[in-house]
Amino acid sequence: MPAFVTRDGGHSVGDHAARTIRYAIEQDDVGYPFRLEPPVITKTTATETMASAGSLARRVRIAATIYAALTVVDERAVRGRRVVVYDDVFTTGSTLDVVARRLREAGADEVYGLTLSRTRWR
């Protein structure tokens, strides 16, 4: 899941998903093709979180701003491939949806979402 990452003294701030994937890479004894660097997709600006959305209309607006902020940097990495996107928390599915849309537009054959936890339904 692409995050808008700021730098504080050279260290990434705010990319919880990347930290989890780094731990998975360290413990991987199968050889899964994880990719963090260079990124395949980036988020070019900070956006609101889906957790802050209270209504369907607001979720749609936030999803549109997230979609606009996403850029697939390396289309060759996804073209014709099956891609798994990891997100730490599933709130509404809207964020995974817009990320999948961008990846499909870049040529990914299939995009799957994998989450660690889910928020309670309201």
Side-chain angles (χ1 to χ4, degrees):
M1 180 62 66
F4 179 67
V5 179
T6 58
R7 299 278 178 191
D8 180 17
H11 299 285
S12 297
V13 178
D15 196 354
H16 310 294
R19 275 195 292 267
T20 303
I21 295 299
R22 281 190 189 88
Y23 291 133
I25 291 168
E26 291 171 9
Q27 297 176 35
D28 176 24
D29 58 358
V30 175
Y32 291 110
F34 292 103
R35 177 156 170 187
L36 284 173
E37 298 293 334
V40 172
I41 187 169
T42 61
K43 191 172 179 187
T44 59
T45 187
T47 58
E48 290 182 78
T49 65
M50 284 297 171
S52 68
S55 68
L56 175 61
R58 186 149 178 216
R59 284 196 308 270
V60 169
R61 282 194 305 273
I62 293 171
T65 62
I66 293 171
Y67 178 81
L70 296 173
T71 301
V72 177
V73 180
D74 185 1
E75 291 185 4
R76 292 172 296 157
V78 299
R79 191 173 300 120
R81 302 196 67 187
R82 183 179 305 145
V83 179
V84 176
V85 177
Y86 167 76
D87 194 4
D88 53 349
V89 178
F90 178 93
T91 304
T92 66
S94 297
T95 304
L96 280 171
D97 180 59
V98 295
V99 170
R101 235 184 326 147
R102 280 288 190 205
L103 292 168
R104 292 291 305 243
E105 290 169 357
D109 281 346
E110 301 173 50
V111 180
Y112 296 91
L114 173 68
T115 60
L116 188 61
S117 64
R118 185 181 103 185
T119 60
R120 292 183 62 176
W121 291 104
R122 296 183 193 132

